[in-house]
Amino acid sequence: MHKFLKLSFLILIFFLTIPNQAKSLDGLYFSEQLPTENGYLLLGIEIFTEKGKSFYNAQELRFQNSRGFEEVLFVGKITDLRNHFLLVPEACQIRATETWGKKMALLRRFDCDHIEIRLDLLPSGKFVLSESLLGTKKEVVLPYVLDHSVGNPVAVRFEANGMTTEGIWGFHLNGLGGKNPGWTWNPSKRHWEPFQGYRIGEGLQFYRWKRTFSN
């Protein structure tokens, strides 16, 4: 009995001294397609870790009836403040095109290292940004979280006025060259499945390619 109690005590000490490992933030995060006063926006964030530090690429697709399409791009570091995270950009730019499908041209770069966007985890388990990249929307919920390896071409497909039927926009895409994606994200099973055609239904659809192509 004495040996049993001693062994149990040692096992308890072992588990109590194991450091708590926080769940990695690495992955892709997307908002819903959000209406604005003159159009809509869609926001995505790619989070990855290098040498123990967290970084991000953030993209925001914006459509305005009077101006066409703009793409806002932020890159920077993530600071963990225990109860929330701060996304601090180091470089920012805006690209634009009047017609969807044409190559976006650089509109301007701007100083943004003074900007801090807060990332929180809601009680529901969903992530929320304190605001969109240009501050158009406050409290932007990111309900879509995808497993992802940094650099892989991933895109969301959605329906909207002014877009082609393809409606593809996302990360690390340099044109599709008429190629179908290799995988489809299954949100209920939370993993990638072999592509078997574009799905029809409510909500955003996500697809992954082996590589990108030039149109």
Side-chain angles (χ1 to χ4, degrees), residues 32-53:
E32 297 283 5
Q33 184 180 342
L34 303 173
T36 60
E37 184 177 356
N38 298 305
Y40 61 85
L41 65 81
L42 181 64
L43 193 150
I45 302 175
E46 177 185 53
I47 297 178
F48 58 98
T49 302
E50 288 184 355
K51 298 181 179 179
K53 295 183 179 180

Side-chain angles (χ1 to χ4, degrees), residues 47-66:
I47 297 178
F48 58 98
T49 302
E50 288 184 355
K51 298 181 179 179
K53 295 183 179 180
S54 293
F55 300 87
Y56 75 94
N57 299 312
Q59 297 182 179
E60 185 173 299
L61 180 66
R62 303 164 58 86
F63 174 76
Q64 297 184 55
N65 294 317
S66 59

Side-chain angles (χ1 to χ4, degrees), residues 143-155:
Y144 300 97
V145 183
L146 287 64
D147 289 339
H148 177 65
S149 297
V150 63
N152 279 349
V154 174

Side-chain angles (χ1 to χ4, degrees), residues 58-183:
Q59 297 182 179
E60 185 173 299
L61 180 66
R62 303 164 58 86
F63 174 76
Q64 297 184 55
N65 294 317
S66 59
R67 300 173 61 176
F69 294 91
E70 291 181 344
E71 188 177 51
V72 186
L73 308 173
F74 282 15
V75 297
K77 297 179 180 178
I78 297 178
T79 302
D80 184 352
L81 298 180
R82 292 186 179 274
N83 60 339
H84 66 274
F85 303 89
L86 284 183
L87 279 62
V88 181
E90 297 179 330
C92 306
Q93 62 177 256
I94 299 177
R95 303 187 298 193
T97 181
E98 291 184 1
T99 306
W100 182 259
K102 291 186 178 180
K103 185 177 181 180
M104 290 195 177
L106 178 63
L107 192 62
R108 64 185 176 96
R109 294 185 175 91
F110 58 97
D111 294 331
C112 57
D113 54 5
H114 62 285
I115 298 174
E116 290 183 347
I117 300 176
R118 178 169 168 158
L119 177 65
D120 286 285
L121 182 62
L122 298 174
S124 64
K126 294 181 180 179
F127 285 89
V128 60
L129 280 182
S130 56
E131 60 183 281
S132 59
L133 301 188
L134 294 184
T136 304
K137 288 279 188 179
K138 305 297 182 184
E139 301 298 313
V140 178
V141 178
L142 306 171
Y144 300 97
V145 183
L146 287 64
D147 289 339
H148 177 65
S149 297
V150 63
N152 279 349
V154 174
V156 56
R157 183 175 186 262
F158 62 101
E159 301 293 336
N161 292 334
M163 299 193 73
T164 62
T165 54
E166 192 172 56
I168 294 291
W169 172 80
F171 289 80
H172 310 295
L173 297 169
N174 299 316
L176 303 180
K179 301 293 184 179
N180 285 330
W183 296 272

